[in-house]
Amino acid sequence: MKSELVSVIIPVYNCEKYIVDCVDSVLMQTYDNIEIIIVNDGSTDRTGEILRERYDQNSKCILIEQSNGGVCKARNTGLEVARGEFIMFVDADDALYADSIEILHDM
């Protein structure tokens, strides 16, 4: 049985101190059929550079850069490209337990 794709949308703005913990926690999920859509909403710190260095070549990650429009615009941008049957929003200062998506999916 094929598992449904889950799109995880992460809007980011000036979060260089914790974005790696956030994205890595999503990448380490026990539920494997995910796409991670990271929307950099015009960060003025090193957030964009960190994202490009660490995740640009990761096949599960989709990096989007846009001018600052706020968290709602960043989430909507993510929704426009999401292909998943399920959508999950994660804030850039959050970190997930390794089985978070699997538990939610199986509910």
Side-chain angles (χ1 to χ4, degrees):
M1 179 173 157
K2 186 171 171 30
S3 56
E4 295 93 354
L5 178 65
V6 175
S7 297
V8 181
I9 300 171
I10 308 172
V12 301
Y13 178 76
N14 288 351
C15 54
E16 66 184 3
K17 294 179 183 176
Y18 35 81
I19 191 59
V20 171
D21 290 337
C22 175
V23 177
D24 284 354
S25 77
V26 179
L27 283 169
M28 291 188 249
Q29 290 297 299
T30 55
Y31 188 89
D32 193 49
N33 195 16
I34 61 173
E35 67 177 1
I36 304 168
I37 303 165
I38 307 166
V39 183
N40 183 12
D41 191 41
S43 294
T44 57
D45 64 359
R46 291 190 58 248
T47 299
E49 180 183 336
I50 292 167
L51 291 171
R52 288 185 296 278
E53 287 174 3
R54 288 189 65 108
Y55 307 110
D56 196 36
Q57 298 303 313
N58 190 304
S59 62
K60 289 190 177 195
C61 295
I62 300 167
L63 298 179
I64 300 171
E65 303 266 351
Q66 68 181 31
S67 58
N68 184 260
V71 69
C72 291
K73 182 178 179 188
R75 286 182 178 150
N76 286 332
T77 298
L79 285 171
E80 289 173 7
V81 300
R83 298 175 297 123
E85 295 169 64
F86 296 101
I87 305 289
M88 180 177 189
F89 293 104
V90 175
D91 290 334
D93 60 349
D94 291 341
L96 302 179
Y97 290 108
D99 58 353
S100 295
I101 295 175
E102 183 175 10
I103 288 171
L104 290 170
H105 177 269
D106 294 343
M107 292 181 92

